[in-house]
Amino acid sequence: KNQVEQSPQSLIILEGKNCTLQCNYTVSPFSNLRWYKQDTGRGPVSLTIMTFSENTKSNGRYTATLDADTKQSSLHITASQLSDSASYICVVSGGGYQKVTFGTGTKLQVIP
Amino acid sequence: NAGVTQTPKFQVLKTGQSMTLQCAQDMNHEYMSWYRQDPGMGLRLIHYSVGAGITDQGEVPNGYNVSRSTTEDFPLRLLSAAPSQTSVYFCASSYSRESLRSTDTQYFGPGTRLTVL
């Protein structure tokens, strides 16, 4: 069964600090892995998209890594800001035609 | 560009009622899809479309119908609402019909919060 597990479920950090969110998946065959940011009451917004051959991809203060051998990804947020408070969702495409599996997300709260 | 728009934002239905959730995009995207988001669960794919006149079922299609008569619009119909359909519904679109396998950015609408009593 295709699964995407994220950890931690929730996280509180001080403004200006860094943090790393984890994503483990069992989806096979693998097409790509995406990270989304979802503000409360809004739709998800794409942060990064990574294919099998990519190890690292950055989008401003967000850096995603992918280890396709261990089926793990991480999202690193540098110098956090209050506006980073949101849920971060890991999504893996694959495991069949037009198949996509969403993680349950990590809820990040950045406090002053 | 307005991006992906959804109406209504909120809706309350009684069990057995029917309704249509509207979704439109102005980016000329081929791929459109509907998801539901429930507490403690990841988004789940209900139905998707790879172009006008072409639709297919996702992971949780039961109780929902879709059609795609134009590139821009992809309405989701609840035939006979049930309390289990209480959820937040998101419409999404992306450029190509192979977007899930490609690196196309997927754009989500703002969502419709549906409560079925």
Side-chain angles (χ1 to χ4, degrees):
Chain A
K1 182 182 177 185
N2 296 326
Q3 286 188 313
V4 175
E5 295 186 354
Q6 293 187 243
S7 61
Q9 279 191 325
S10 62
L11 183 63
I12 301 174
I13 62 172
L14 290 174
E15 185 179 11
K17 297 297 186 182
N18 303 336
C19 68
T20 300
L21 314 180
Q22 301 290 344
C23 173
N24 296 340
Y25 62 93
T26 61
V27 177
S28 181
F30 172 87
S31 288
N32 57 60
L33 185 146
R34 303 162 187 251
W35 282 94
Y36 288 90
K37 178 186 179 187
Q38 185 176 22
D39 293 318
T40 301
R42 302 281 189 100
V45 174
S46 181
L47 294 176
T48 63
I49 305 169
M50 302 181 73
T51 61
F52 184 87
S53 59
E54 295 175 297
N55 299 119
T56 304
K57 185 165 275 190
S58 293
N59 178 0
R61 295 179 297 102
Y62 301 101
T63 300
T65 65
L66 174 65
D67 185 335
D69 291 331
T70 62
K71 299 188 176 180
Q72 296 179 325
S73 177
S74 65
L75 181 69
H76 186 74
I77 305 174
T78 304
S80 61
Q81 301 175 358
L82 297 177
S83 59
D84 291 332
S85 295
S87 287
Y88 292 84
I89 303 172
C90 176
V91 185
V92 180
S93 295
Y97 179 67
Q98 300 285 7
K99 296 290 186 187
V100 60
T101 306
F102 284 71
T104 56
T106 293
K107 187 165 187 176
L108 174 65
Q109 185 178 0
V110 181
I111 59 174
Chain B
N1 286 352
V4 179
T5 58
Q6 292 183 237
T7 57
K9 290 190 174 178
F10 301 93
Q11 183 70 48
V12 179
L13 292 178
K14 294 181 179 178
T15 297
Q17 287 185 316
S18 62
M19 79 157 295
T20 299
L21 280 62
Q22 301 292 344
C23 173
Q25 52 87 14
D26 61 357
M27 298 174 281
N28 201 31
H29 285 171
E30 286 198 278
Y31 184 90
M32 296 186 73
S33 54
W34 277 101
Y35 297 91
R36 59 178 290 173
Q37 186 174 38
D38 300 299
M41 301 184 72
L43 276 79
R44 290 179 292 170
L45 182 63
I46 303 171
H47 284 286
Y48 65 92
S49 169
V50 296
I54 307 170
T55 64
D56 207 345
Q57 297 180 351
E59 181 186 355
V60 288
N62 292 342
Y64 307 95
N65 263 0
V66 292
S67 60
R68 184 105 178 262
S69 56
T70 67
T71 299
E72 294 79 19
D73 301 299
F74 190 43
L76 178 72
R77 297 183 186 84
L78 279 70
L79 309 172
S80 177
S84 61
Q85 293 178 304
T86 294
S87 188
V88 181
Y89 291 85
F90 289 101
C91 178
S93 76
S94 49
Y95 178 70
S96 77
R97 56 180 54 200
E98 294 295 335
S99 68
L100 287 183
R101 293 199 288 187
S102 74
T103 56
D104 287 349
T105 297
Q106 195 165 30
Y107 297 89
F108 282 80
T112 294
R113 185 174 293 273
L114 175 69
T115 301
V116 183
L117 303 175

